[in-house]
Amino acid sequence: MELSFSRTNGIIDTLIDNLLAEVGTIHHPELIREMIISALKSGIECYYLADLKLLNNTMKEMRYTTNIFAPYRQKKKVTIFGSARTEPHEQIYQTCVAFSRKLAEKGFMIITGGGPGIMQAGNEGAGSENSFAVNIRLPFEQQPNPVMLQNPRLINYKYFFNRKVAFVKESSALAVFPGGFGTLDEAMEVFTLIQTGKTSPKPLVLIDDNDGYWDRWFEFVKTCILGKGFISAEDFSIFTITRDVDEAIQIIEQFYRTYHSLRFFEGRLIIRLNKELTQAQLEELENEFPELRHPDTRITRSAPLPEEADEPDLLKLPRISLQFNHQHYGLLMAFIGRLNTF
């Protein structure tokens, strides 16, 4: 049988509607209906058991992730990446402990991969009560650390890609300490997501050790990546390198001084703010960042759009609107930085 997401499935549509009614309270039933149709279509179209297992397990992991994070939606969280092999006696481990402790004191929660090394340092500094652990099941190195072992906010993933979604989607900022292939993979993933606009802008801080791990990485990026034209100079706005814990925290806090969040609607970029901007400030932004806008368009104040009704707690925030060209996401990060000086 050929199933469709439109209501052309006859008795199948009726059965799904009856099932939803029988279950009782279902949020956004039209979306749930499409998910049921997707599952049925997968059963019809896919005969390969391993593919169906992947679809099934992915859905289970993402549902559980949403359930664990949902009660803490209003709290800002910082994801910490770093090596599982960093030992507690090392200076960078103690730096991470201090960093996460100070963040917790300022009301942030911490997300780590839940394993040893820098991950344990992040959970240790923040304390179990202020921590999440999104652990990956591996044959070595990645048993949950003792800080998070019995924590209800410990999630064990089978798939790396689901875990990466949790790291980025649930965070307000990301801090990357020195590490190996896994750490670099996680960091490069975030660079790419921000550079291409596939995640909302957020501060990305690379916290260096005394040997200059990130300084040496930066030299490679300037010489071999920027030097060959594979990235633009504006992409350096995506991240900051520092050895100073207090500076790292200041960068994270400053990012949300005036800027709150953003949404895209049919070519319009809506930026929600923590305070109203003056007309003079809007004109300064127009003059300093002309590349962000389509030609002959302005930055204007905006009322909440009807599409924003799905975030009712944000409707009272002031907004500005512009016709964003979707080409300069690195420059958008610089734009947010300038916003935060007002």
Side-chain angles (χ1 to χ4, degrees):
M1 180 179 183
E2 184 73 25
L3 294 176
S4 171
F5 291 110
S6 62
R7 286 187 169 272
T8 57
N9 303 308
I11 186 62
I12 300 298
D13 289 329
T14 302
L15 290 171
I16 292 174
D17 290 340
N18 291 341
L19 175 62
L20 295 177
E22 186 67 26
V23 170
T25 302
I26 295 288
H27 303 291
H28 309 292
E30 278 305 308
L31 286 176
I32 303 304
R33 175 188 170 275
E34 288 194 9
M35 292 165 73
I36 293 172
I37 293 288
S38 290
L40 294 174
K41 287 171 74 71
S42 296
I44 293 169
E45 298 163 356
C46 182
Y47 65 89
Y48 193 55
L49 180 59
D51 288 344
L52 288 173
K53 285 183 175 180
L54 185 147
L55 292 171
N56 183 41
N57 288 329
T58 297
M59 178 67 176
K60 286 180 178 179
E61 288 190 347
M62 293 312 300
R63 182 210 63 80
Y64 187 67
T65 298
T66 300
N67 189 47
I68 294 299
F69 278 98
Y72 308 94
R73 195 177 304 279
Q74 302 307 319
K75 295 208 68 171
K76 283 189 166 57
K77 308 169 196 70
V78 177
T79 289
I80 294 177
F81 297 133
S83 175
R85 304 186 188 189
T86 302
E87 296 291 342
H89 68 268
E90 295 182 54
Q91 181 61 46
I92 197 66
Y93 184 103
Q94 296 304 321
T95 298
C96 184
V97 170
F99 173 69
S100 58
R101 179 180 294 124
K102 289 185 176 184
L103 282 170
E105 289 170 353
K106 290 177 175 290
F108 289 89
M109 299 187 79
I110 298 299
I111 305 170
T112 80
I118 289 297
M119 293 172 280
Q120 181 171 325
N123 295 136
E124 181 183 326
S128 178
E129 68 279 7
N130 294 309
S131 291
F132 294 85
V134 292
N135 190 51
I136 187 74
R137 295 195 291 273
L138 293 175
F140 61 93
E141 281 189 348
Q142 199 65 15
Q143 296 301 311
N145 65 59
V147 180
M148 300 301 294
L149 191 56
Q150 302 299 322
N151 194 305
R153 291 177 298 280
L154 166 65
I155 308 172
N156 288 297
Y157 290 89
K158 181 176 182 179
Y159 300 127
F160 270 111
F161 56 83
N162 284 336
R163 182 177 182 243
K164 287 181 177 179
V165 169
F167 275 140
V168 179
K169 173 182 176 292
E170 301 295 342
S171 69
S172 303
L174 301 105
V176 191
F177 287 76
F181 290 151
T183 299
L184 291 173
D185 171 60
E186 290 158 345
M188 294 308 108
E189 179 89 16
V190 177
F191 286 136
T192 303
L193 291 172
I194 295 175
Q195 183 200 44
T196 57
K198 289 300 182 180
T199 190
S200 58
K202 55 194 69 180
L204 175 58
V205 186
L206 310 181
I207 300 182
D208 214 348
D209 58 16
N210 292 331
D211 295 325
Y213 177 98
W214 289 117
D215 281 342
R216 282 181 281 175
W217 171 86
F218 186 56
E219 287 303 316
F220 164 76
V221 171
K222 285 193 299 182
T223 303
C224 296
I225 302 182
L226 178 65
K228 291 182 178 293
F230 296 151
I231 62 172
S232 301
E234 70 182 58
D235 293 326
F236 292 129
S237 298
I238 293 173
F239 63 89
T240 304
I241 298 174
T242 182
R243 287 184 175 85
D244 188 321
V245 163
D246 292 324
E247 181 185 11
I249 294 172
Q250 183 182 18
I251 290 166
I252 292 169
E253 290 187 306
Q254 177 73 10
F255 193 85
Y256 297 99
R257 180 174 182 266
T258 302
Y259 170 80
H260 184 280
S261 56
L262 59 74
R263 292 278 294 266
F264 289 103
F265 297 106
E266 297 181 352
R268 293 177 65 189
L269 169 58
I270 306 297
I271 298 180
R272 296 175 291 216
L273 307 171
N274 292 314
K275 63 181 180 182
E276 195 80 56
L277 297 185
T278 67
Q279 185 59 37
Q281 289 168 338
L282 292 182
E283 290 172 4
E284 283 185 52
L285 292 171
E286 285 183 336
N287 292 333
E288 293 174 20
F289 295 92
E291 302 91 343
L292 283 184
R293 297 174 285 117
H294 287 300
D296 301 319
T297 63
R298 304 293 303 273
I299 300 175
T300 60
R301 295 186 183 88
S302 174
L305 300 182
E307 292 86 349
E308 295 182 86
D310 59 350
E311 296 180 285
D313 52 318
L314 305 183
L315 294 178
K316 292 183 179 180
L317 293 175
R319 288 157 167 73
I320 59 175
S321 171
L322 62 143
Q323 296 287 334
F324 182 57
N325 61 19
H326 292 279
Q327 294 179 4
H328 299 287
Y329 286 97
L331 197 59
L332 179 59
M333 292 289 286
F335 178 87
I336 292 171
R338 182 68 174 96
L339 265 181
N340 288 321
T341 65
F342 295 136

